[in-house]
Structures are given as C-alpha cells and as structure tokens.
Amino acid sequence: MAGLIFKKVILLIPSFIGITLAAFIFIRLLPGDPVMLLSGERGIEPERHAKLMSEFGFDRPFYEQYADYVVGLFKGDFGNSVVTRQSVLSEFIVLFPATLELSLFAIITAIVIGIPVGIFCAVKKGSWTDNSLMTVALFGYSMPIFWWGLLMIILFSGILGWTPVSGRISLVYFFEPVTGFMLIDAWLSGEEGAFLSALHHMILPALVLSTIPLAVIVRQTRSAVIEVLEEDYIRTAYSKGLSFFRILFIHALRNAMIPIITTIGLQVGVLLAGAILTETIFSWPGIGHWMVHSIYRRDYPSVQGGLVLIAGIVTAVNLVVDLTYIWINPRIQGCHSRDFNFMSGCPVRFALFPSFFAPYGAAEQFRDATLSPPAWQEGGDARYLLGTDPLGRDILSRIIYGAQYSTFIGIVVVGLSLLSGIFFGMLAGFFGGTADFIIMRVMDVILAFPSLLLALVMVAVLGPGLTNAMIAIAVVQLPHFVRLTRAQAMAEKKKDYFTAARIIGTSRLKLMFTVLLPNCLSPLIVQATLNFSSAVLDAAALGFLGLGAQPPTPEWGTLLAESREFILRAWWVVTFPGLAILITVLSINLIGDSLRDSFDPRLKKS
C-alpha cells in the first residue's frame, strides 16, 4: 500500500513539471512585445522598455526565467496581478471559497440524487420508469449549461420571481467574512435573515452547475450496478437466501463503486469548467469569473498562476480518487434506443442546405420588426416563425445557418483529435517504454486542466475566432483518443493474431496500422460520436464567452451571447438557439449510445 502511494506521488513530479511549463509558456506565446502586453504601455522609450524588460525578467535566458518561476511557486509566490498589483495567490485564496462552496453544493446535490436514482434505474431495468429517468438524464447530459442557466433566470427570476438574478447575498447584509464560505459566514454573523438570503442566492446557480454531473452519475451508477448484478457471485448470494437489500447494498454496490467514484472524481474538472460559465452568468465572484475577466483584461500573471493552482487541485483530487480505489478494493493495487433518425437528420440537412430551408439570409435585417415575438404569440408576425433578434434578424434563419457552423466545428475538431490521438496512442501502446512515458505524461498535463479553461487560455493566446477555437477544442479532446487507443493497442498486442503477424516478419508500421488499428476502431468510433457532441457544446461555450466565432457569424453560442441582455423582455432570443444546441447534442448522444450498445452486447439489455 505505502509503496503504491509512493509510486503514484512520484509520477506526479513529471506532471507538475509539465503543468508549470505549460502555464509558463502560454504567456511567452502571446504575439507582440511582452512588456507592452503586461505593462499596458504603447510607444515607450527604449530606456524604459529595457528597464521594464529587466524588471519582468524577460531579458534573461528562458531556462533561468522558468527556474525562478518554479522556485517562486515552492515559496508560494505566484506573481502579482498586472491590473490590481495584488498577489495572485492572495486573490485566488479570497475567491476560491466562493467557487468551492458552489461546487460542493452542486456535487453533493448530484451525488445525493444521482446514486439513488441510478440504483433505482438498475433495479427497474427496462421498465417505463427506468426509460423515463434515463431519458431525463440524457437531456441533462446534452444541456448547454450556459443556456440552461439563462432559462432558469427567465423562469425563476423573471417570471416567478423566486430567486435573485446574481450575487451571493442580498446587499442589505454586510459583515466581515470569517471563512470565505458565505453560508457559514452568514450563519456566524447572527444577522437575521442573512443565512436564508445566502441560501436563496445559492440554489439556482448550484442547480444549474449540478445538472451535467447529476446526469453523468445517474448513467454511470445504473450501468455499474447492472453489470455487477449479473455476476456469478450475486447469483450465489441469491441461492443462499440472502435478502435483496443485503445483496444490493452490501455486495453489489461496494463492487460497483469503483467506476462511480471515478466518475465523481472526474466531475471536479467538469465542475470547474462549468463554474466558468455559471459564475459568468450569475455574476458569482469565484475563480471562474476571475479567470474569464483576467483573460479579457490580458492579466496574464493571474491567468498563469490560476492555471497552475486549478491544475494542482484537479491533480490532487485525481490522486485521492486513485487511493480511494485501494480502500474500496485492495485487489486493485496490481491493476493498472435508436429512434433518432429524424432528430439527427434535421441538423445535418440544415447544415448541408441552409439556404434551402432558411426563409431569409443569416444577416438580413428588418428594422421594422426588432425583437418581434414568435408568430403564435400576441404581437407576433407570421413572417418570422420564431421571432426576431434585437437587430431585426429572423431567428429561425440564423439558427438554420448556425447548424452549418456547428456541424463543421464537430467534424473538424473530431477529425483533428481522432487522427492525432490514433497516431500518438499507437506509438505509446505499441512501443511502450520511453515513448509511452513521455506521451502519457503530456496527456496527463492536458487532462490536469479543466477542458474549457484550457481552451479559453489557448484561444486567448491564439486570438478569438472560429479557427482558433476549433484548434483549442481539438487539443483538449486529444487525450481521450490517445488514452483509448493506447489501452486498446496494449490489449490487442497480447492476442494470438498479433503474435502470429510479428513472427512472420511483418514490419512495425504494418503491425501498428494494418494489424492493430483495425481491431481498435470500434471504441474509437463510439468515442468520436461522444466527442462530436462535446465539441459542439465547447464551441458554443467559447462563442458565448466571446472567444469563439465572432459576430455576425450565426454560430449558436454567439447568438446566445448577442441576446443575453434581453432575456427578461424577449425570452425567445435565448430559448430557440439553446434548443437547437440541445436537440443537436442530444441526437448525437443517442447515436453514440446506440453505437456503444451495438459494439458491447452486454449493454443491449441495459
């Protein structure tokens, strides 16, 4: 046990080097003069320029700068913000409790609801309640979190008036923070109504943030419990006359917890990525909101320090998850529906022939019909079926043209990440040794950063735009294909057909790409469909944050960003673009589920 823990900690060293190196290099990749970018000055005199270069340390060799940076990290020096002149670490410590409180509230909600619902679905496998709940979970998994947040604001804040729109507590309360956790500080303050106000502000953003983790936990729990319930030892327990609840909760659930805990651990990165969007929508003063504003303000010391701190948190959580495996099962120490034709067809048809289906051009404006409601609503115009946006453009037409961009994004991103992942995964799985170590440590570094956060920083380095957004998303998706290809290649290498091909003298290149690869494609095809939907969601999120496709491009995330300020007076401007994203992602996920069931006969009856 102690030896295994030591080995896992040692493996964190190259990951730490990679994380710090990646964060350090990002700021050096920015186009232009680093002094002008960091100081905000233009046209400065040569003497002052040289002085600032020396002050920031940019006149020293790269390796010296990096060494000083790492030494500073060990001393707790993450640099100072260019905008506020405050320590990055101190700003992070002040803001992190807000994100942690929101994330904990969200993940506890997801666990408390998700695991029991997943167990119930497994027990009622194939029933109408199982199918209904899993359909809801699939909707939750396919939901663009930023659109879901806007809808919740429209419903609960705008229409019903039940919850506040933003912030952590009402402005009528003021007290000195003790812990940084608003719920705890409000309780300790003793002010009447403060705790209820903080809870009131917490509910809606936490509900929005918990949506995707909840859906994932439900699906993974159901799948894991079903698989365990079909094992021979469960049948033996039944034959001994043990009660159903004893078998389920003592025998089955314990052995099903490994994938469930893995899923919960992986949700940390999802929560931090979701926090970027949730905190932006609800003006929640946490690290996600802080990182987005740091990128917008080009405060790169804050971005650099924030990346290292967040990646360190994700890496630490993953280590805890690995050690939890051993606590649950010590033996692990030695182990390293199809009715989607119409739904999936619509986005494809729109993408191929937008001008045929769209009643108007994507940029065509009707000045006499700005913010016109849908045709069926009072005041609506039959010419604009789904209404118009603030500039008088037909929403239906822009959604149809947007399908072309979203489909294009998915194809390009998956194509780039799949081909690159196959190449590097095959190298790692086939050769092993040094090649495997280097490739997988690089992949670990990429996985240490929440995907959306890493994509945001990469787009900030490359510059906003659709092309750069696709490159960034392809990079953050790359580890999924590399790890899957590597695992499949290592498994297939042990089989007789591979041994026979190697004995007869087949070249290494042919062994890799004509013998191994065809037998590794099935799970890669399934993963490609799942990553396609992720690419659409991530591209829409970048567009929503202003770093993806730029106006007037009718990309769906950009459409939501353009109309966000009108959500309380014109619900249709955010509802229908979000529905387009949901329907597209949902249909792709249905395809992925069907392919998974086809390639894994054990799941066909689940």
Side-chain angles (χ1 to χ4, degrees):
M1 176 71 171
L4 183 63
I5 295 175
F6 178 76
K7 179 180 178 181
K8 289 185 176 295
V9 171
I10 289 297
L11 285 176
L12 292 180
I13 295 176
S15 297
F16 170 79
I17 294 172
I19 290 169
T20 55
L21 194 59
F24 183 78
I25 289 175
F26 270 129
I27 196 171
R28 272 74 184 170
L29 292 177
L30 291 170
D33 192 301
V35 166
M36 292 183 178
L37 284 168
L38 292 178
S39 66
E41 299 189 33
R42 297 292 184 271
I44 58 178
E45 297 179 354
E47 295 79 7
R48 176 161 176 77
H49 182 274
K51 180 180 178 181
L52 288 174
M53 285 288 288
S54 176
E55 180 181 334
F56 285 117
F58 291 132
D59 58 344
R60 303 171 61 193
F62 178 85
Y63 66 88
E64 289 186 11
Q65 295 181 50
Y66 177 69
D68 288 345
Y69 172 64
V70 173
V71 171
L73 291 182
F74 281 109
K75 294 180 179 179
D77 181 11
F78 287 78
N80 294 321
S81 166
V82 174
V83 176
T84 65
R85 301 295 179 181
Q86 300 296 315
S87 164
V88 171
L89 181 60
S90 64
E91 288 191 345
F92 186 92
I93 291 173
V94 169
L95 296 172
F96 182 64
T99 298
L100 182 59
E101 184 177 41
L102 179 62
S103 299
L104 284 174
F105 205 99
I107 195 63
I108 290 172
T109 301
I111 292 171
V112 169
I113 298 175
I115 292 180
V117 170
I119 294 171
F120 178 80
C121 290
V123 173
K124 298 291 185 180
K125 181 181 66 172
S127 66
W128 70 269
T129 52
D130 173 36
N131 294 330
S132 300
L133 289 171
M134 293 311 298
T135 300
V136 172
L138 187 59
F139 268 93
Y141 183 74
S142 305
M143 193 80 69
I145 193 170
F146 51 92
W147 175 67
W148 181 235
L150 294 176
L151 287 188
M152 293 296 98
I153 290 174
I154 292 174
L155 176 60
F156 291 104
S157 302
I159 298 176
L160 299 175
W162 289 356
T163 59
V165 175
S166 61
R168 298 180 71 191
I169 195 170
S170 174
L171 295 178
V172 302
Y173 300 102
F174 178 78
F175 44 82
E176 290 296 327
V178 178
T179 65
F181 297 97
M182 187 59 69
L183 290 173
I184 298 176
D185 290 344
W187 180 272
L188 295 176
S189 71
E191 292 193 31
E192 185 177 356
F195 177 79
L196 290 179
S197 176
L199 184 63
H200 200 207
H201 283 72
M202 171 74 73
I203 290 173
L204 198 57
L207 176 64
V208 170
L209 185 57
S210 68
T211 302
I212 292 179
L214 173 59
V216 173
I217 290 171
V218 168
R219 298 179 73 192
Q220 183 60 64
T221 301
R222 175 184 180 273
S223 176
V225 172
I226 286 175
E227 186 170 349
V228 170
L229 287 176
E230 294 176 352
E231 295 289 340
D232 291 338
Y233 70 87
I234 296 294
R235 298 188 184 94
T236 302
Y238 274 119
S239 67
K240 290 181 177 180
L242 297 180
S243 68
F244 172 76
F245 287 101
R246 180 178 177 82
I247 292 172
L248 179 63
F249 291 104
I250 302 298
H251 298 280
L253 187 58
R254 181 180 178 88
N255 289 282
M257 284 303 294
I258 295 294
I260 295 173
I261 289 177
T262 302
T263 299
I264 294 172
L266 291 174
Q267 297 315 299
V268 173
V270 174
L271 286 171
L272 291 175
I276 294 172
L277 298 167
T278 306
E279 292 178 3
T280 299
I281 294 168
F282 290 94
S283 297
W284 190 270
I287 57 171
H289 194 252
W290 173 64
M291 286 293 290
V292 170
H293 279 272
S294 296
I295 291 171
Y296 284 152
R297 296 179 300 187
R298 295 299 188 262
D299 188 357
Y300 289 104
S302 295
V303 176
Q304 179 176 276
L307 278 174
V308 172
L309 288 165
I310 293 172
I313 293 169
V314 174
T315 302
V317 170
N318 288 335
L319 176 62
V320 171
V321 170
D322 287 345
L323 298 179
T324 306
Y325 294 166
I326 304 169
W327 175 71
I328 292 175
N329 187 357
R331 292 176 299 173
I332 204 167
Q333 291 184 43
C335 303
H336 289 273
S337 134
R338 306 195 185 186
D339 295 326
F340 54 78
N341 293 331
F342 175 75
M343 293 179 65
S344 60
C346 283
V348 173
R349 295 187 188 104
F350 291 160
L352 293 177
F353 310 106
S355 59
F356 181 79
F357 291 99
Y360 306 104
E364 192 173 352
Q365 296 180 331
F366 303 92
R367 296 293 186 181
D368 59 337
T370 57
L371 286 180
S372 174
W376 63 85
Q377 188 172 330
E378 183 180 354
D381 192 322
R383 294 176 298 170
Y384 317 115
L385 182 62
L386 302 183
T388 60
D389 67 6
L391 297 179
R393 296 172 295 190
D394 180 55
I395 290 177
L396 176 60
S397 300
R398 288 178 65 75
I399 288 174
I400 291 174
Y401 276 95
Q404 190 173 46
Y405 289 94
S406 293
T407 305
F408 177 70
I409 289 168
I411 292 173
V412 171
V413 168
V414 171
L416 287 174
S417 55
L418 175 61
L419 293 177
S420 302
I422 288 175
F423 177 74
F424 290 112
M426 276 293 168
L427 287 180
F430 183 84
F431 290 104
T434 304
D436 180 38
F437 180 83
I438 293 174
I439 292 172
M440 296 314 297
R441 295 295 75 77
V442 173
M443 295 303 109
D444 286 345
V445 169
I446 297 175
L447 285 172
F449 299 100
S451 59
L452 182 58
L453 177 59
L454 182 57
L456 276 172
V457 176
M458 290 185 64
V459 173
V461 171
L462 299 173
L466 186 60
T467 300
N468 292 338
M470 290 190 294
I471 293 172
I473 298 169
V475 170
V476 300
Q477 288 196 359
L478 177 62
H480 303 162
F481 292 106
V482 172
R483 291 166 69 94
L484 187 56
T485 304
R486 171 183 177 269
Q488 288 295 116
M490 292 177 69
E492 295 295 323
K493 278 173 59 178
K494 299 177 181 178
K495 296 185 177 179
D496 293 340
Y497 75 88
F498 178 82
T499 304
R502 187 173 57 185
I503 289 174
I504 63 175
T506 306
S507 66
R508 291 183 174 180
L509 195 62
K510 286 187 176 181
L511 281 174
M512 290 171 61
F513 294 104
T514 64
V515 178
L516 277 183
L517 181 57
N519 293 281
C520 300
L521 286 179
S522 294
L524 289 172
I525 293 171
V526 176
Q527 187 65 42
T529 62
L530 299 176
N531 279 45
F532 191 103
S533 62
S534 297
V536 173
L537 285 174
D538 288 346
L542 290 175
F544 179 77
L545 293 171
L547 294 172
Q550 300 297 296
T553 303
E555 191 273 326
W556 291 333
T558 306
L559 296 186
L560 288 169
E562 291 175 338
S563 306
R564 177 184 168 191
E565 59 184 293
F566 300 94
I567 59 174
L568 294 181
R569 50 184 286 213
W571 60 269
W572 56 91
V573 295
V574 296
T575 301
F576 296 120
L579 276 175
I581 300 173
L582 172 62
I583 292 172
T584 300
V585 174
L586 180 62
S587 63
I588 297 168
N589 282 332
L590 286 171
I591 294 172
D593 284 354
S594 297
L595 286 172
R596 181 189 60 195
D597 291 352
S598 298
F599 289 123
D600 190 349
R602 295 177 302 173
L603 296 176
K604 288 184 178 180
K605 297 180 181 181
S606 63

